[in-house]
Amino acid sequence: MSRAFTQVDVFTATPYHGNALAVVLEGNGLGTEEMRRFAAWTNLSETTFVLPPTTPEADYRVRIFTPAQELPFAGHPTLGTCHAWLEAGGAPRDPDEIVQECGAGLVRVRRIPDGLAFQAPPLIRSGPVEEPLLARIAEALGIARDDVVDAEWADNGPGWVAVLLADAASVLALRPGTVPCDVGVAGPHPEGAECAYEVRAFFPHQGATVEDPVTGSLNASLAQWLLRTGRAEAPYVAAQGTAIGRAGRVQITTGADGEVWVGGSVVTCVTGRVAL
């Protein structure tokens, strides 16, 4: 059947400079295998399917797929799906806050002056990275173990290991080999720069390393770590995608109760219908 479809660009106000997302706005009646096959066909980092919520607290439900697997949560699909749902006429119960249901539970999304922001979900795993794994990560990144300023597990659904380098230039200079797991790398820009941090995200796929253009889930967990350890102060802006010709901008703020919010702009690039 024909279903409403949109493709958006997330964490940018300029089309084709952020991270693309495919959104099927009418996911009812589709099975898991059909969703997985379509996500593999789009060949984007993520494709989402909008469904009616199963709980009265949520405004809509979303299932999130990479070309290879389903994710319980991901950041840029959360903002991109919410944008597409609102643009298609979705009406949240609370005009100031949208509640998304996903595999990780309920995620709060709010409007900000130039886009949307989601509340960072709690970490599933944190703490020190095992030394043998950290040594493998450093080798895969092409750096010495001593070049790693600090590292922690920063798992909020996708199993990120967060690695801090001395500066943004070191992050941009990385030419990784095959990483052993999902790795997020950050380094501070000089004081007074437009962005506080440069971020890159690498994950293994079919024996190679893929770099994600702009990654909401990673920036969420990085922010929780950097703020907790006093290495960053909110609000701040992180840059991502620079090394691969993108210009992603991720806004990090904190709420009254200290919760972390991850936001950015979203622009619609394609609208229409898909035979699915």
Side-chain angles (χ1 to χ4, degrees):
M1 61 178 286
S2 175
R3 301 170 187 271
F5 172 82
T6 186
Q7 193 162 313
V8 299
D9 206 9
V10 186
F11 293 121
T12 180
T14 305
Y16 320 118
H17 283 67
N19 197 356
L21 174 75
V23 183
V24 177
L25 288 157
E26 299 167 341
N28 274 353
L30 290 173
T32 297
E33 183 54 37
E34 291 171 297
M35 293 181 183
R36 184 180 292 114
R37 181 177 295 276
F38 184 70
W41 180 83
T42 69
N43 203 33
L44 297 175
S45 56
E46 279 98 9
T47 298
T48 64
F49 301 84
V50 179
L51 301 157
T54 64
T55 173
E57 293 86 1
D59 292 302
Y60 64 88
R61 180 164 68 101
V62 63
R63 294 183 69 178
I64 305 167
F65 288 81
T66 74
Q69 63 180 326
E70 184 171 6
L71 299 178
F73 167 79
H76 103 274
T78 292
L79 296 189
T81 302
C82 186
H83 169 90
W85 181 78
L86 289 169
E87 195 170 65
R93 292 171 175 80
D94 182 342
D96 296 322
E97 185 171 282
I98 303 96
V99 180
Q100 172 185 280
E101 179 186 357
C102 59
L106 300 180
V107 178
R108 295 163 61 198
V109 183
R110 66 185 183 189
R111 305 173 198 263
I112 59 176
D114 52 357
L116 296 165
F118 66 86
Q119 184 179 1
L123 296 181
I124 299 169
R125 183 180 184 183
S126 59
V129 182
E130 301 84 343
E131 186 57 39
L133 176 58
L134 188 52
R136 290 175 59 201
I137 290 172
E139 181 181 10
L141 293 176
I143 59 176
R145 170 63 182 85
D146 290 346
D147 291 333
V148 177
V149 175
D150 201 359
E152 274 203 16
W153 282 99
D155 183 359
N156 55 10
W160 295 109
V161 171
V163 174
L164 181 67
L165 300 185
D167 50 45
S170 299
V171 174
L172 290 171
L174 293 174
R175 298 296 182 267
T178 303
V179 293
C181 59
D182 292 0
V183 179
V185 188
H189 279 280
E191 189 172 348
E194 175 202 355
C195 298
Y197 279 85
E198 189 72 35
V199 174
R200 296 178 72 180
F202 307 108
F203 57 91
H205 180 62
Q206 296 181 349
T209 291
V210 176
E211 180 165 0
D212 195 50
V214 201
T215 318
S217 63
L218 172 60
N219 277 280
S221 57
L222 275 174
Q224 289 166 301
W225 178 38
L226 295 172
L227 293 170
R228 174 174 54 81
T229 56
R231 291 191 172 93
E233 294 183 359
Y236 74 83
V237 177
Q240 192 178 347
T242 310
I244 55 173
R246 307 292 177 89
R249 295 294 184 267
V250 182
Q251 302 173 31
I252 302 296
T253 57
T254 52
D257 296 327
E259 72 274 16
V260 174
W261 291 82
V262 181
S265 300
V266 185
V267 290
T268 301
C269 299
V270 178
T271 58
R273 304 191 68 81
V274 61
L276 186 60

